[in-house]
Amino acid sequence: MANALERTGFVPIHDAHAIEQLNTTVIFARPLSDTEMRQATESMSAFEATLPGFGQIMGMGFSIGPQGVSPMMQNASEAPAGVLRTYTDPKGVVVKELKLERQALTFRTLAYTRWSTVWKEARNYFEVVLARVPNEVMLSGYTLSYSDKFIWHGVASEMDVNLLLRQDSEYITPKTFSANDLWHCHSGQFVRAKESVKRLIVVDCDCVDEQEFGANRRVVRIGTTLTELLNQPGFEQSTIPLPSSMNTLDEAFRILHNELKKVFSEIVSDAIAETVGLNGDSNAN
């Protein structure tokens, strides 16, 4: 196999895949109270071995009056707006992050291997934290997003985006293929996934120059996100308490993972899909 530096064209950031980052989020039907926030935060101390870093997100508001705009700091007696548990590598990069906010719980990782492995880890965190949320707090939705990155090997001005993206993709604007400089492309739409589920599909593509070891390189990032919302107007209603939502989330995230693979396959060329193993086992990628 040729060395990556000898190739011409787009190369994924990893040998087996192009995934730079993955985010999974559980959305609550209402914000947690101070007491509920403290209880959920206490449960996160169980993750000290794998996520040793800890931080708080403090809220801030602003008042507008005769003297102009002035900040209103969060009362010290209140629970924080959010808390973080993190794992940071020896280079100082935050590789994994579990973030609890008043109305959402998110796991983010830069260390993607296989979907089944990553979901197992995220699920372990979610199950512990959600068990401490009161039964009257319902599941409102969930989000899965990927950020894939491809590096252009060659002269930046000669980058051929046709080698990476499908010209007939409904997610990519035609102007992307005639651009001769950096560009951004966004697509978003709601669809009726099921009679009880309203789905938002978001695709963001960016062509940017970045620094790597003191030298510029041109890359294309492809961000794909699916959010499914429950109890929307005109849809079937449901009541799923967060503490007992894990079976629902297992199935929901499995579906989102497979749907995002389908979306991604409708964005990238056949050659790129083959390179990143997109056509393999649905739990492997």
Side-chain angles (χ1 to χ4, degrees), residues 111-268:
Y112 188 91
T113 51
R114 297 169 59 92
W115 164 249
S116 57
T117 302
V118 172
W119 172 239
K120 180 180 179 181
E121 181 176 11
R123 189 192 196 283
N124 288 340
Y125 296 141
F126 288 174
E127 186 171 29
V128 171
V129 178
L130 295 179
R132 296 296 299 274
V133 175
N135 275 318
E136 57 266 26
V137 184
M138 301 295 164
L139 177 67
S140 179
Y142 32 84
T143 297
L144 178 62
S145 68
Y146 287 93
S147 177
D148 289 74
K149 185 163 77 173
F150 296 87
I151 304 164
W152 171 252
H153 283 265
V155 179
S157 61
E158 298 176 358
M159 188 186 79
D160 184 1
V161 75
N162 290 280
L163 298 176
L164 177 64
L165 305 177
R166 294 182 182 274
Q167 279 205 5
D168 61 351
S169 174
E170 64 178 344
Y171 301 106
I172 305 298
T173 176
K175 284 186 175 294
T176 296
F177 297 93
S178 60
N180 54 19
D181 206 333
L182 306 180
W183 48 265
H184 169 76
C185 177
H186 171 82
S187 170
Q189 64 173 325
F190 281 104
V191 298
R192 196 180 192 94
K194 293 191 296 185
E195 288 305 307
S196 60
V197 175
K198 187 173 186 176
R199 177 183 292 166
L200 174 61
I201 308 170
V202 175
V203 174
D204 285 293
C205 293
D206 293 279
C207 175
V208 299
D209 288 334
E210 63 179 23
Q211 287 274 319
E212 178 73 8
F213 303 117
N216 280 333
R217 66 179 186 181
R218 184 151 292 185
V219 303
V220 173
R221 288 191 177 91
I222 304 174
T224 51
T225 302
L226 290 183
T227 298
E228 292 197 336
L229 302 173
L230 308 178
N231 300 318
Q232 296 297 294
F235 286 73
E236 293 179 359
Q237 304 297 290
S238 63
T239 53
I240 305 173
L242 283 171
S244 56
S245 64
M246 290 312 304
N247 288 340
T248 298
L249 293 174
D250 281 334
E251 179 65 8
F253 279 110
R254 183 191 68 80
I255 291 173
L256 291 187
H257 167 68
N258 288 329
E259 287 296 312
L260 280 175
K261 287 184 66 177
K262 180 181 177 183
V263 170
F264 193 73
S265 71
E266 294 171 353
I267 296 171
V268 299

